[in-house]
């Protein structure tokens, strides 16, 4: 005799098996050296000594959680660890402890911009830890320490970028090199670099440096380059213990409507710096 009471149990078992099959079919393959990511991915293992350049690419609405795992290149003066191209990509490390290293540039933020980078660390890269060449990007809670040359560089035409709660310490040249216009750097550190902590280039108009620390650098704490730039705002920063004057504006009388106010320092090169 057929046991009609088994029908609900059978339905539940078939449903569970079907659901599990669907879940398994949705699992993406592991991210590996040279991959291009256009969806949401979570790193499941280290990608080390990757000979592909870039090692990983995020392209148009891709997202990658490093999940505590590291990415490294094979070394030398070429190669990018993680490239953000297209627009609206997200790179993060929710677990903490990851490292992007041994590349020319650890993270290169390119394409059409509007990318977001959070919680990553880029160290021991030959040119820069983090580099911007596109518009309207945000880097926060990230670390570009102990790179051979520059910690964080914001290049020409890379305008309207923001860096918050981040570090560019102990680099072989400068901590921050800012060329792009309308750059906003706040609540970040640029300490113990061989050159200046924060270098503001001639073209970096409308840039704001608010409540940062630039101590114990081999050059200046914060340096605004000679030439002509305008509407630079440097307010509430601390720059002390640097080998050269802590705060320097190479434009006469802080020309170009530069504002230096409420900064903490020992030595400056002009009275217009406050």
């Amino acid at each position: 005799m057929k046991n009609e009471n088994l029908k609900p149990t059978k339905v539940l078992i078939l449903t569970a098996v079907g659901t599990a099959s669907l879940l398994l079919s949705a699992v993406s393959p592991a991210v590996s050296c040279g991959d291009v990511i256009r969806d949401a991915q979570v790193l499941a293992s280290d990608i080390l000594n990757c000979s592909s350049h870039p090692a990983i690419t995020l392209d148009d609405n891709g997202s990658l959680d490093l999940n505590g795992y590291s990415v490294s290149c094979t070394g030398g003066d070429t190669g990018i660890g993680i490239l953000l191209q297209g627009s609206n990509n997200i790179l993060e490390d929710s677990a903490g402890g990851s490292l992007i290293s041994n590349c020319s540039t650890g993270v290169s933020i390119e394409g059409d911009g509007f990318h977001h980078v959070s919680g990553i660390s880029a160290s021991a890269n030959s040119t820069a830890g983090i580099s911007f060449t596109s518009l309207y990007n945000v880097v926060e809670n990230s670390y570009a320490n102990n790179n051979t040359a520059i910690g964080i560089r914001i290049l020409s035409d890379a305008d309207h970028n923001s860096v918050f709660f981040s570090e560019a310490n102990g680099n072989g040249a400068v901590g921050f090199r800012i060329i792009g216009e309308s750059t906003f750097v706040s609540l970040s550190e640029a300490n113990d670099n061989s050159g200046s902590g924060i270098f503001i280039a001639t073209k970096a108009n409308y840039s704001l440096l608010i409540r940062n620390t630039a101590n114990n650098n081999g050059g200046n704490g914060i340096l605004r380059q000679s030439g002509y730039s305008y509407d630079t705002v440097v307010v509430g920063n601390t720059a002390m213990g640097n080998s050269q004057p802590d705060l320097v504006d190479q434009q006469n009388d802080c020309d170009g409507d530069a504002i230096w106010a409420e900064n903490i320092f020992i030595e400056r090169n002009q009275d217009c710096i406050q």
Side-chain angles (χ1 to χ4, degrees):
M1 178 184 293
K2 184 184 293 185
N3 188 344
E4 298 295 334
N5 292 328
L6 292 177
K7 286 185 177 180
T9 303
K10 183 177 181 181
V11 170
L12 287 172
I13 292 171
L14 291 173
T15 301
V17 170
T19 302
S21 298
L22 287 172
L23 288 172
L24 287 171
S25 67
V27 173
S28 300
V31 178
S32 60
C33 171
D35 279 359
V36 178
I37 296 171
R38 297 185 175 90
D39 55 5
Q41 295 286 342
V42 179
L43 210 59
S45 62
D46 292 330
I47 298 176
L48 303 179
N49 299 312
C50 179
S51 59
S52 295
H53 302 305
I56 300 173
T57 300
L58 302 183
D59 188 9
D60 279 334
N61 301 298
S63 71
L64 177 63
D65 183 350
L66 296 174
N67 193 31
Y69 293 102
S70 295
V71 175
S72 70
C73 303
T74 54
D77 293 329
T78 60
I80 295 169
I82 300 178
L83 169 65
L84 281 65
Q85 64 183 19
S87 63
N88 296 297
N89 295 296
I90 298 172
L91 174 63
E92 63 181 346
D93 180 12
S94 63
S98 66
L99 184 65
I100 304 161
S101 64
N102 208 33
C103 307
S104 175
T105 299
V107 177
S108 189
I109 304 171
E110 302 184 16
D112 298 320
F114 297 93
H115 306 297
H116 186 254
V117 176
S118 178
I120 65 97
S121 181
S123 182
N125 299 289
S126 61
T127 301
I130 301 171
S131 181
F132 294 77
T133 63
S134 59
L135 308 170
Y136 293 104
N137 305 290
V138 175
V139 170
E140 62 177 344
N141 296 304
S142 293
Y143 309 90
N145 299 332
N146 301 312
N147 294 284
T148 305
I150 301 169
I152 298 175
R153 63 174 185 171
I154 302 167
L155 296 174
S156 181
D157 299 322
D159 303 332
H160 304 284
N161 288 295
S162 299
V163 181
F164 305 112
F165 299 106
S166 295
E167 294 180 6
N169 297 331
N171 296 287
V174 300
F176 286 83
R177 181 178 176 86
I178 301 170
I179 304 176
E181 291 189 350
S182 302
T183 297
F184 185 20
V185 179
S186 183
L187 297 164
S188 295
E189 295 182 9
N191 302 324
D192 302 303
N193 298 286
S194 296
S196 293
I198 303 175
F199 179 89
I200 309 167
T202 301
K203 296 181 179 180
N205 304 309
Y206 311 114
S207 292
L208 284 76
L209 276 65
I210 310 294
R211 296 179 62 192
N212 303 290
T213 303
N215 294 337
N216 303 316
N217 294 287
N220 308 111
I222 302 175
L223 168 64
R224 182 178 180 234
Q225 190 182 27
S226 61
Y228 187 76
S229 60
Y230 44 88
D231 294 327
T232 305
V233 176
V234 184
V235 174
N237 303 280
T238 299
M240 301 179 70
N242 297 288
S243 297
Q244 299 180 28
D246 299 306
L247 301 178
V248 169
D249 194 324
Q250 293 182 336
Q251 300 189 41
N252 290 333
D253 297 322
C254 303
D255 197 15
D257 296 323
I259 297 172
W260 296 78
E262 300 181 6
N263 298 291
I264 299 171
F265 59 93
I266 296 173
E267 188 177 357
R268 60 190 175 182
N269 76 322
Q270 298 193 66
D271 291 340
C272 54
I273 294 174
Q274 302 296 326

